[in-house]
Amino acid sequence: MQAKVTAPVFEHHREPLGIGESRPRLSWRTETDTPGWRQAAYQIELVDDTGAVLGGTDGRVESDASVLVPWPGPELASRTRVGARVRVWDTGNRASPWSPVAYAETGLLDPADWTARPIAPRPDPGTGPARPRPVVLLRRSFRLHGPIASARLHITALGVFQPELNGRPVGADVLAPGWSSYHHRLRYSTHDVTEHLRQGENVLGALLGEGWYSGRLGFHGGRRDIYGDRPALLAQLEVRYADGTTRTVATDTRWQAATGPALRSELYDGEEYDARLERPGWSAPGDPGPGWTPVVELGMPRGALVAPTGPPVRRTRTLAPVRILTTPAGHTVLDFGQNLVGRLRIRVRGEAGRTITLRHAEVLEHGELALRPLRQAAATDRYTLSGAPGGETYEPLFTFHGFRYAQVDGWPGEPAPGDVEAVVLHTAMERTGWFTCSEPLVNRLHANVVWGMRGNFLDVPTDCPQRDERLGWTGDIAVFAPTAAFLFDCSGMLGSWLRDLAAEQLTRPDGAIPPLVVPDALPEGFPAAPNAVWADSAVLVPWALYRAFGDEGLLRTQWESMSGWADELERYVARDGGLWRGEFQLGDWLDPAAPPDRPGDARTDGDLVANAYAARTAEIMAEVAALLGEPGHAERYTRLAGRVRAAFADEFVTPGGLLASDAQTAYALALRFALLPTGRQRERAGRRLVEIVRRAGFRIATGFAGTPLICDALTEAGAPQMAYRMLLETGCPSWLYPVTMGATTVWERWDAMLPDGTVNPGEMTSFNHYALGAVADWLHRAVAGLGEAAPGWKRLRIAPVPGGTLTHAHAARLTPYGRAEAGWERHGGTLTVTAVVPPNTTAEVQLPDTTTLFEVGSGHHTFTVHGFTTPAWPPQPLRHPFSSPEENAPAPEDGGDGGDRR
C-alpha cells in the first residue's frame, strides 16, 4: 500500500494543550506494508486553524529522521496555537500524501503572563500543624457578555486541587498538579473550558487539599508542612470573545472560601467525608449559601511555574470485586483479585448519619486484613451518609491506597454486586510493551511487573504505594528504568522527575550528590552520604530513556546533573588509589539472606558494588560526552572508567577470576560491567557463577544491585539454561515463589509472605515494589529476543535465546517508528523465529546457537532453524500455580497480561 504518515506528535505530549516548549520537536510514524521501506526525505508544513500555511521546512529535507525532528518555524509565543503536517519520500522518490494535521497550543511561557496570585483561606486557629486540614472550597462569581470564541483555564496549586466551572468538573486529572520539588518547580495545567461558559453569571471554583505540599509525608510518623504551612490555589481563566477582546478571571482577594463535607483528605491516612455537610451548587451560579469568608492573597511560589512534560494522573479503569468474604472476626471484606493503587467508589442508600468505614490492605493474614505492613498509614476512608432518598455515590477526593482487599464496616445491610468498585489510578502513560510465553507462571510474573509499575508510577516513581512512605527512591528507578521504558511511554513523566532530581541535587550544599529520594522529603539529619546505584540514578535513568526513546535533548538537559555526579565520583576515586570505599553503602539492598530487621546485610561487599557501578557510570558518561560533542570530557571519563576497572581488578578479583565476595551479585556485576581483564578470568568467573547458582538450588540470591543483571550474566557466560532454571524456580526465594503464593504485583522482599501464609516480620514488607521486577528486561531482550541496537529503536536487535521448558515466547514494543515484534516457537527439533521490523528501521538478527549477525529491513520476517536442541533440562517439576495460600490467590480471569482496559 502507499505509505501513510501519522499525525505528528509534539515532543512527548499526547495532549498538547498548554505545552511549555517554544520550539517543540516533531515525531511521526510511517505506515506501509512495503518491505524494506526507508524514508529518504520529509517536508513539514505549519498551519493555522483555517489550514493556511504559516511556514515549515524550506521544501524537501533530505533526511531519514522522523523522531524528535527540530522545529521548522519561528519560536512560539505564549498562548499560540499551531498545526503541523508532514509528508515523506522513500528511497525510490515516491511521495506520501500529507499526514493529518496535529495541533498544539503553548501555555504561559513567561512569568509575566501570570496576573493571578495564590490564594488561601484565612488561617483557622483550631487547625495547627499537627492536625490534618479539611478540604477547602474556593469560588469566584463573574459575568460574561458577548459571543465567546475560546477560553483557557491555567491552574495549579501548592497542594492538590480539582477545578469546577458552573457546577461541572473541569478535566479528568486526579491529584493535580502532582508532586514536584515545590521549592524549584511547580507544574500547572491548561484546560479548554470554552464549552463550560455561558452568557451572564459564571462561577469558577476549586476544591483544595493538602496533598504532598503540607500533608504528612515520610516514615516513622513523618512530617507535615514540609514545603509550606497551608495549601494555596493559583488559577487564571482567560476568555477570548469573538470580537478579539479578552477577559481574565484570576485568583485574587475577590474569591471566597468555605469548608465542606471533606473534613480531612490525606495521602496516607485516607479521607473523612460527611455528606450531610455538602453544599449543593457551591460552584454554580446563584447563592452558595452561608459560611463563605474572604481569602488571603499570598506571594508567588518560590519555584518556577512550568508546563508538564508528561501526562497527568487519571482514573484508568475500574475493577469489580471477584468475591465477598466474611472474616473469622465477622468483617465483610471485598477481594478485587488484583493488588492495585487507587480507591473505592461506592453507591449506597441508607439513613442520614450512618458512617461507612473502608479499610484497605494488600493481603490477608489469618483471614483478616494484614495491616501491620502499612506501618503508620491508616489507609481508611469514612463516609457519613446524607440520607438522600435516591441513594448517594462516593469516591474520595485527594487520597489513594495500595490494596487488593477492602474491609467494609457499617454498610446498611450487605453490599450488592455493583455497589462497590475499585478505581485504578496512575499516571496515564501509553502502554508500549508486551510479553507472553508458554509458561503461565512467567506470564503472571510479567503481569505483576506491569501492575507494579502502574501502581508506583503515580506522578513520581515511588518505592511503594500503600504504607507511610511512597517516596521517589532513586535506587529503585535506577535499576528498573530499562524495563519501565519498554512497558510504557514514561519519557515525559521521568523526564520531569529528572528535572526535579537535578534541581534537588544542584542546590544541595555539595551541589553534586543526588538525593536518595526525589522530591527530597527525607527529614533533616537523614544520612546524605552518596550511595552507589541510588546516586547513579542521575546517569542511569537518563541513559535508559535515551536508549529507549532516542531523545538526545534529554541528555543535554540533564548534562549538568549527570556530570556533577560523575565528577564527584572522580573525586572519591582520586582520593583512595582508584577506588571508592570506606563509606556506608545501601549496596545489594534486600539480599534475600538479609535478616528481616537488617535489610542491608548483603552477601556482596558494599564497596565492590559501589566500584562496579562507578565503572559503569563513568563508561556511560564517556558515551554521553561524545554524543554531546564534548571530546575532552569523553576522554576524561574514559580514563576514569579505566582507572576504576583496574583498581577493581586489583582489589576484588583474584588472578584466577574469583571475586572477593563469592556471591551471585558480585559475579553478575563483574561479568555484565566488563570488570574482568582477561579472558581466563571471565571464563572462570562465569563458571563460578554457575556453580554458585547450582549450589543455591537455583534460588535467587541477589538484591537491588544484582537482580537486574543475574540472568544476563548467566546468558553471556554461556549458561542460558541456568538463567532459565532460576527464572522457573518456584521455591523461596525466586521470582515465581510470590506467584505461587498468589502475588499479583512484585514484592519488596523475596519472602514478603512466608510459605505458611504469614507476613514477613520485617518492617519493610510491601507487596507492591517494582525493583525486583527488573528481570522483565531480560524476558523482553533474551527470552523473546526483542531489543534495541541503536537509540530510539532506529535499529533493532532480534536475538532470542530459547530455553527451559518454554515452547514459545513473544514480545512486542510500540517504538517511535511503529510496532516491533519478535518471538519464537519450537516444535520438536524445528525452531521458527518471527520478527516484525517497523518502517524506516533495520534489524540485526542473531539466530539461536549461532554467532552470525545479518541485517534485515522493515517488514515481516520468518526464520527456521532445523535440528535445534537445548541442553538436558533439570527434571524438577514446577509447582501448580496459586497453590497456597488460597485466600490470596488471584482471580483466574485476571491472570493475563492484556493491554489497558477501561
Side-chain angles (χ1 to χ4, degrees), residues 828-877:
T830 300
L831 182 76
T832 303
V833 177
T834 57
V836 176
V837 181
N840 205 27
T841 68
T842 59
E844 62 181 42
V845 180
Q846 181 176 351
L847 296 178
D849 292 346
T850 70
T851 58
T852 303
L853 284 178
F854 58 92
E855 183 173 302
V856 297
S858 64
H860 293 251
H861 304 276
T862 301
F863 313 95
T864 303
V865 179
H866 297 288
F868 179 79
T869 60
T870 56
W873 181 247
Q876 178 180 338

Short mmCIF file of all heavy atoms in Angstrom, two decimals, residues 828-877:
data_model
loop_
_atom_site.label_atom_id
_atom_site.label_comp_id
_atom_site.label_asym_id
_atom_site.label_seq_id
_atom_site.Cartn_x
_atom_site.Cartn_y
_atom_site.Cartn_z
N GLY A 828 9.36 -29.88 18.29
CA GLY A 828 10.40 -30.89 18.14
C GLY A 828 11.75 -30.23 17.94
O GLY A 828 12.17 -29.38 18.73
N GLY A 829 12.43 -30.60 16.85
CA GLY A 829 13.74 -30.03 16.57
C GLY A 829 13.69 -28.83 15.65
O GLY A 829 14.74 -28.36 15.20
N THR A 830 12.48 -28.34 15.37
CA THR A 830 12.35 -27.18 14.47
C THR A 830 11.99 -25.95 15.27
O THR A 830 11.01 -25.94 16.03
CB THR A 830 11.27 -27.44 13.40
OG1 THR A 830 11.64 -28.59 12.64
CG2 THR A 830 11.14 -26.23 12.48
N LEU A 831 12.79 -24.92 15.12
CA LEU A 831 12.56 -23.64 15.79
C LEU A 831 12.22 -22.59 14.74
O LEU A 831 12.96 -22.41 13.77
CB LEU A 831 13.81 -23.21 16.56
CG LEU A 831 13.69 -21.91 17.34
CD1 LEU A 831 12.88 -22.13 18.62
CD2 LEU A 831 15.07 -21.34 17.68
N THR A 832 11.10 -21.93 14.92
CA THR A 832 10.68 -20.88 14.00
C THR A 832 10.75 -19.54 14.72
O THR A 832 10.13 -19.35 15.77
CB THR A 832 9.25 -21.11 13.50
OG1 THR A 832 9.18 -22.40 12.87
CG2 THR A 832 8.84 -20.04 12.50
N VAL A 833 11.53 -18.63 14.18
CA VAL A 833 11.70 -17.29 14.74
C VAL A 833 10.98 -16.30 13.83
O VAL A 833 11.14 -16.35 12.60
CB VAL A 833 13.19 -16.92 14.85
CG1 VAL A 833 13.36 -15.48 15.35
CG2 VAL A 833 13.91 -17.89 15.77
N THR A 834 10.18 -15.43 14.42
CA THR A 834 9.47 -14.42 13.64
C THR A 834 9.86 -13.03 14.14
O THR A 834 10.22 -12.85 15.31
CB THR A 834 7.95 -14.59 13.75
OG1 THR A 834 7.56 -14.54 15.13
CG2 THR A 834 7.52 -15.92 13.16
N ALA A 835 9.75 -12.06 13.25
CA ALA A 835 10.07 -10.68 13.61
C ALA A 835 9.27 -9.73 12.76
O ALA A 835 8.97 -10.02 11.59
CB ALA A 835 11.56 -10.42 13.42
N VAL A 836 8.88 -8.63 13.37
CA VAL A 836 8.26 -7.51 12.66
C VAL A 836 9.14 -6.30 12.88
O VAL A 836 9.38 -5.90 14.03
CB VAL A 836 6.83 -7.24 13.15
CG1 VAL A 836 6.25 -6.00 12.45
CG2 VAL A 836 5.94 -8.45 12.93
N VAL A 837 9.64 -5.73 11.80
CA VAL A 837 10.53 -4.59 11.85
C VAL A 837 9.78 -3.38 11.31
O VAL A 837 9.27 -3.43 10.19
CB VAL A 837 11.81 -4.84 11.03
CG1 VAL A 837 12.76 -3.65 11.11
CG2 VAL A 837 12.50 -6.11 11.51
N PRO A 838 9.66 -2.29 12.06
CA PRO A 838 8.86 -1.15 11.60
C PRO A 838 9.48 -0.45 10.40
O PRO A 838 10.69 -0.55 10.17
CB PRO A 838 8.85 -0.21 12.82
CG PRO A 838 9.32 -1.02 13.97
CD PRO A 838 10.20 -2.08 13.40
N PRO A 839 8.66 0.27 9.63
CA PRO A 839 9.21 1.06 8.53
C PRO A 839 10.26 2.06 9.01
O PRO A 839 10.21 2.54 10.14
CB PRO A 839 7.98 1.80 7.98
CG PRO A 839 6.82 0.94 8.37
CD PRO A 839 7.19 0.35 9.69
N ASN A 840 11.21 2.32 8.14
CA ASN A 840 12.28 3.29 8.39
C ASN A 840 13.27 2.82 9.45
O ASN A 840 13.99 3.63 10.03
CB ASN A 840 11.70 4.65 8.77
CG ASN A 840 12.65 5.79 8.47
OD1 ASN A 840 13.49 5.70 7.56
ND2 ASN A 840 12.55 6.88 9.22
N THR A 841 13.30 1.52 9.71
CA THR A 841 14.30 0.95 10.61
C THR A 841 14.88 -0.31 9.98
O THR A 841 14.36 -0.84 8.99
CB THR A 841 13.71 0.58 11.99
OG1 THR A 841 12.80 -0.52 11.84
CG2 THR A 841 12.97 1.76 12.61
N THR A 842 15.95 -0.78 10.60
CA THR A 842 16.53 -2.08 10.22
C THR A 842 16.70 -2.90 11.48
O THR A 842 16.55 -2.40 12.60
CB THR A 842 17.89 -1.89 9.52
OG1 THR A 842 18.77 -1.21 10.41
CG2 THR A 842 17.75 -1.11 8.22
N ALA A 843 17.04 -4.16 11.30
CA ALA A 843 17.27 -5.03 12.46
C ALA A 843 18.48 -5.90 12.19
O ALA A 843 18.66 -6.40 11.06
CB ALA A 843 16.05 -5.90 12.74
N GLU A 844 19.29 -6.08 13.23
CA GLU A 844 20.33 -7.09 13.18
C GLU A 844 19.76 -8.35 13.83
O GLU A 844 19.11 -8.28 14.87
CB GLU A 844 21.60 -6.63 13.89
CG GLU A 844 21.44 -6.34 15.36
CD GLU A 844 22.74 -5.85 16.00
OE1 GLU A 844 23.42 -5.02 15.36
OE2 GLU A 844 23.03 -6.29 17.13
N VAL A 845 19.98 -9.47 13.19
CA VAL A 845 19.38 -10.73 13.62
C VAL A 845 20.49 -11.72 13.97
O VAL A 845 21.44 -11.88 13.20
CB VAL A 845 18.46 -11.32 12.53
CG1 VAL A 845 17.84 -12.63 12.99
CG2 VAL A 845 17.38 -10.32 12.14
N GLN A 846 20.34 -12.34 15.13
CA GLN A 846 21.23 -13.42 15.51
C GLN A 846 20.35 -14.58 15.92
O GLN A 846 19.66 -14.52 16.94
CB GLN A 846 22.16 -13.03 16.65
CG GLN A 846 23.12 -14.15 17.04
CD GLN A 846 24.11 -13.72 18.11
OE1 GLN A 846 24.20 -12.56 18.46
NE2 GLN A 846 24.87 -14.68 18.62
N LEU A 847 20.36 -15.64 15.12
CA LEU A 847 19.53 -16.80 15.43
C LEU A 847 20.19 -17.64 16.52
O LEU A 847 21.42 -17.60 16.70
CB LEU A 847 19.32 -17.64 14.16
CG LEU A 847 18.54 -16.94 13.05
CD1 LEU A 847 18.42 -17.83 11.83
CD2 LEU A 847 17.16 -16.52 13.53
N PRO A 848 19.40 -18.41 17.26
CA PRO A 848 19.96 -19.22 18.36
C PRO A 848 21.04 -20.17 17.87
O PRO A 848 21.00 -20.67 16.73
CB PRO A 848 18.73 -19.99 18.87
CG PRO A 848 17.57 -19.14 18.49
CD PRO A 848 17.93 -18.51 17.19
N ASP A 849 22.01 -20.39 18.75
CA ASP A 849 23.11 -21.33 18.50
C ASP A 849 24.02 -20.88 17.37
O ASP A 849 24.72 -21.69 16.76
CB ASP A 849 22.59 -22.74 18.21
CG ASP A 849 21.95 -23.37 19.43
OD1 ASP A 849 22.16 -22.84 20.53
OD2 ASP A 849 21.22 -24.36 19.28
N THR A 850 24.01 -19.60 17.03
CA THR A 850 24.94 -19.08 16.03
C THR A 850 25.55 -17.80 16.56
O THR A 850 25.01 -17.15 17.45
CB THR A 850 24.25 -18.78 14.69
OG1 THR A 850 23.40 -17.64 14.84
CG2 THR A 850 23.41 -19.96 14.21
N THR A 851 26.67 -17.42 15.99
CA THR A 851 27.29 -16.13 16.31
C THR A 851 27.22 -15.19 15.12
O THR A 851 27.73 -14.08 15.16
CB THR A 851 28.77 -16.33 16.71
OG1 THR A 851 29.45 -16.99 15.64
CG2 THR A 851 28.87 -17.17 17.98
N THR A 852 26.57 -15.64 14.05
CA THR A 852 26.49 -14.84 12.82
C THR A 852 25.39 -13.80 12.93
O THR A 852 24.26 -14.10 13.32
CB THR A 852 26.22 -15.76 11.62
OG1 THR A 852 27.24 -16.75 11.54
CG2 THR A 852 26.19 -14.94 10.32
N LEU A 853 25.72 -12.58 12.59
CA LEU A 853 24.75 -11.49 12.53
C LEU A 853 24.43 -11.18 11.08
O LEU A 853 25.31 -11.18 10.22
CB LEU A 853 25.30 -10.23 13.18
CG LEU A 853 25.35 -10.14 14.71
CD1 LEU A 853 25.99 -8.82 15.12
CD2 LEU A 853 23.95 -10.24 15.29
N PHE A 854 23.16 -10.96 10.78
CA PHE A 854 22.80 -10.47 9.45
C PHE A 854 21.71 -9.42 9.61
O PHE A 854 21.06 -9.33 10.65
CB PHE A 854 22.36 -11.60 8.53
CG PHE A 854 21.20 -12.42 9.02
CD1 PHE A 854 19.89 -12.10 8.66
CD2 PHE A 854 21.41 -13.52 9.83
CE1 PHE A 854 18.83 -12.86 9.11
CE2 PHE A 854 20.35 -14.29 10.28
CZ PHE A 854 19.05 -13.95 9.92
N GLU A 855 21.53 -8.61 8.59
CA GLU A 855 20.63 -7.46 8.67
C GLU A 855 19.42 -7.66 7.79
O GLU A 855 19.51 -8.23 6.69
CB GLU A 855 21.38 -6.19 8.25
CG GLU A 855 20.54 -4.93 8.38
CD GLU A 855 21.34 -3.66 8.14
OE1 GLU A 855 22.33 -3.44 8.85
OE2 GLU A 855 20.96 -2.90 7.22
N VAL A 856 18.28 -7.19 8.30
CA VAL A 856 17.04 -7.21 7.51
C VAL A 856 16.41 -5.83 7.59
O VAL A 856 16.65 -5.06 8.53
CB VAL A 856 16.04 -8.28 8.01
CG1 VAL A 856 16.62 -9.68 7.87
CG2 VAL A 856 15.62 -8.00 9.45
N GLY A 857 15.60 -5.53 6.60
CA GLY A 857 14.88 -4.27 6.59
C GLY A 857 13.51 -4.42 7.20
O GLY A 857 13.15 -5.44 7.80
N SER A 858 12.70 -3.38 7.03
CA SER A 858 11.37 -3.41 7.63
C SER A 858 10.48 -4.46 6.97
O SER A 858 10.71 -4.87 5.83
CB SER A 858 10.73 -2.03 7.51
OG SER A 858 10.52 -1.69 6.15
N GLY A 859 9.48 -4.89 7.73
CA GLY A 859 8.55 -5.89 7.23
C GLY A 859 8.44 -7.08 8.16
O GLY A 859 9.00 -7.09 9.26
N HIS A 860 7.72 -8.09 7.73
CA HIS A 860 7.54 -9.33 8.49
C HIS A 860 8.57 -10.35 8.02
O HIS A 860 8.74 -10.56 6.82
CB HIS A 860 6.13 -9.88 8.28
CG HIS A 860 5.06 -9.00 8.85
ND1 HIS A 860 4.32 -9.34 9.96
CD2 HIS A 860 4.59 -7.78 8.46
CE1 HIS A 860 3.46 -8.38 10.23
NE2 HIS A 860 3.61 -7.41 9.33
N HIS A 861 9.21 -11.01 8.96
CA HIS A 861 10.27 -11.97 8.64
C HIS A 861 10.06 -13.26 9.42
O HIS A 861 9.64 -13.24 10.58
CB HIS A 861 11.64 -11.39 8.98
CG HIS A 861 11.94 -10.09 8.32
ND1 HIS A 861 12.43 -10.00 7.04
CD2 HIS A 861 11.78 -8.81 8.76
CE1 HIS A 861 12.59 -8.72 6.72
NE2 HIS A 861 12.20 -7.98 7.75
N THR A 862 10.38 -14.37 8.77
CA THR A 862 10.32 -15.68 9.41
C THR A 862 11.62 -16.43 9.13
O THR A 862 12.09 -16.45 7.99
CB THR A 862 9.13 -16.50 8.89
OG1 THR A 862 7.92 -15.79 9.14
CG2 THR A 862 9.06 -17.86 9.58
N PHE A 863 12.19 -17.02 10.17
CA PHE A 863 13.44 -17.77 10.04
C PHE A 863 13.23 -19.14 10.67
O PHE A 863 12.59 -19.26 11.73
CB PHE A 863 14.59 -17.06 10.75
CG PHE A 863 14.67 -15.59 10.44
CD1 PHE A 863 14.09 -14.66 11.29
CD2 PHE A 863 15.32 -15.14 9.30
CE1 PHE A 863 14.17 -13.30 11.03
CE2 PHE A 863 15.39 -13.77 9.03
CZ PHE A 863 14.81 -12.85 9.88
N THR A 864 13.76 -20.17 10.05
CA THR A 864 13.59 -21.54 10.54
C THR A 864 14.95 -22.14 10.84
O THR A 864 15.88 -22.06 10.02
CB THR A 864 12.86 -22.41 9.52
OG1 THR A 864 11.60 -21.81 9.21
CG2 THR A 864 12.61 -23.81 10.07
N VAL A 865 15.06 -22.72 12.04
CA VAL A 865 16.27 -23.41 12.45
C VAL A 865 15.91 -24.88 12.62
O VAL A 865 15.06 -25.24 13.45
CB VAL A 865 16.82 -22.84 13.77
CG1 VAL A 865 18.07 -23.60 14.20
CG2 VAL A 865 17.11 -21.36 13.62
N HIS A 866 16.53 -25.75 11.83
CA HIS A 866 16.26 -27.19 11.91
C HIS A 866 17.29 -27.85 12.81
O HIS A 866 18.43 -27.40 12.93
CB HIS A 866 16.30 -27.81 10.51
CG HIS A 866 15.24 -27.29 9.58
ND1 HIS A 866 13.91 -27.60 9.72
CD2 HIS A 866 15.33 -26.45 8.52
CE1 HIS A 866 13.21 -26.99 8.79
NE2 HIS A 866 14.06 -26.28 8.03
N GLY A 867 16.87 -28.90 13.46
CA GLY A 867 17.78 -29.64 14.34
C GLY A 867 18.14 -28.89 15.59
O GLY A 867 19.22 -29.11 16.16
N PHE A 868 17.25 -28.01 16.04
CA PHE A 868 17.53 -27.20 17.22
C PHE A 868 17.35 -28.04 18.48
O PHE A 868 16.34 -28.72 18.66
CB PHE A 868 16.61 -25.98 17.28
CG PHE A 868 16.82 -25.12 18.49
CD1 PHE A 868 17.88 -24.24 18.54
CD2 PHE A 868 15.98 -25.22 19.59
CE1 PHE A 868 18.09 -23.44 19.66
CE2 PHE A 868 16.18 -24.44 20.72
CZ PHE A 868 17.24 -23.54 20.74
N THR A 869 18.33 -27.97 19.37
CA THR A 869 18.24 -28.69 20.64
C THR A 869 18.73 -27.78 21.75
O THR A 869 19.51 -26.84 21.52
CB THR A 869 19.09 -29.97 20.64
OG1 THR A 869 20.46 -29.62 20.41
CG2 THR A 869 18.62 -30.94 19.57
N THR A 870 18.27 -28.04 22.95
CA THR A 870 18.78 -27.34 24.13
C THR A 870 19.33 -28.39 25.07
O THR A 870 18.96 -29.56 25.01
CB THR A 870 17.66 -26.56 24.84
OG1 THR A 870 16.60 -27.45 25.18
CG2 THR A 870 17.13 -25.46 23.94
N PRO A 871 20.23 -28.01 25.98
CA PRO A 871 20.78 -28.98 26.93
C PRO A 871 19.67 -29.64 27.75
O PRO A 871 18.57 -29.12 27.87
CB PRO A 871 21.70 -28.12 27.81
CG PRO A 871 22.03 -26.93 26.97
CD PRO A 871 20.82 -26.67 26.13
N ALA A 872 20.01 -30.79 28.29
CA ALA A 872 19.03 -31.52 29.10
C ALA A 872 18.51 -30.61 30.21
O ALA A 872 19.26 -29.90 30.87
CB ALA A 872 19.68 -32.77 29.69
N TRP A 873 17.22 -30.66 30.40
CA TRP A 873 16.58 -29.77 31.35
C TRP A 873 16.47 -30.43 32.71
O TRP A 873 16.10 -31.60 32.81
CB TRP A 873 15.19 -29.39 30.84
CG TRP A 873 14.47 -28.44 31.75
CD1 TRP A 873 13.37 -28.68 32.48
CD2 TRP A 873 14.85 -27.10 32.02
NE1 TRP A 873 13.01 -27.58 33.20
CE2 TRP A 873 13.91 -26.58 32.94
CE3 TRP A 873 15.89 -26.27 31.59
CZ2 TRP A 873 13.98 -25.28 33.43
CZ3 TRP A 873 15.96 -24.99 32.07
CH2 TRP A 873 15.01 -24.50 32.99
N PRO A 874 16.77 -29.74 33.79
CA PRO A 874 16.60 -30.34 35.12
C PRO A 874 15.17 -30.85 35.30
O PRO A 874 14.21 -30.16 34.94
CB PRO A 874 16.90 -29.16 36.06
CG PRO A 874 17.80 -28.27 35.26
CD PRO A 874 17.33 -28.40 33.85
N PRO A 875 15.00 -32.03 35.82
CA PRO A 875 13.69 -32.68 35.81
C PRO A 875 12.71 -32.18 36.88
O PRO A 875 11.56 -32.62 36.89
CB PRO A 875 14.03 -34.15 36.06
CG PRO A 875 15.28 -34.09 36.89
CD PRO A 875 16.04 -32.90 36.39
N GLN A 876 13.17 -31.31 37.79
CA GLN A 876 12.28 -30.91 38.88
C GLN A 876 11.02 -30.26 38.31
O GLN A 876 11.09 -29.29 37.56
CB GLN A 876 12.99 -29.91 39.81
CG GLN A 876 12.12 -29.42 40.95
CD GLN A 876 12.86 -28.43 41.84
OE1 GLN A 876 14.08 -28.43 41.86
NE2 GLN A 876 12.14 -27.59 42.53
N PRO A 877 9.85 -30.76 38.65
CA PRO A 877 8.62 -30.19 38.09
C PRO A 877 8.28 -28.86 38.76
O PRO A 877 8.70 -28.59 39.89
CB PRO A 877 7.55 -31.24 38.41
CG PRO A 877 8.06 -31.89 39.66
CD PRO A 877 9.57 -31.91 39.53
#
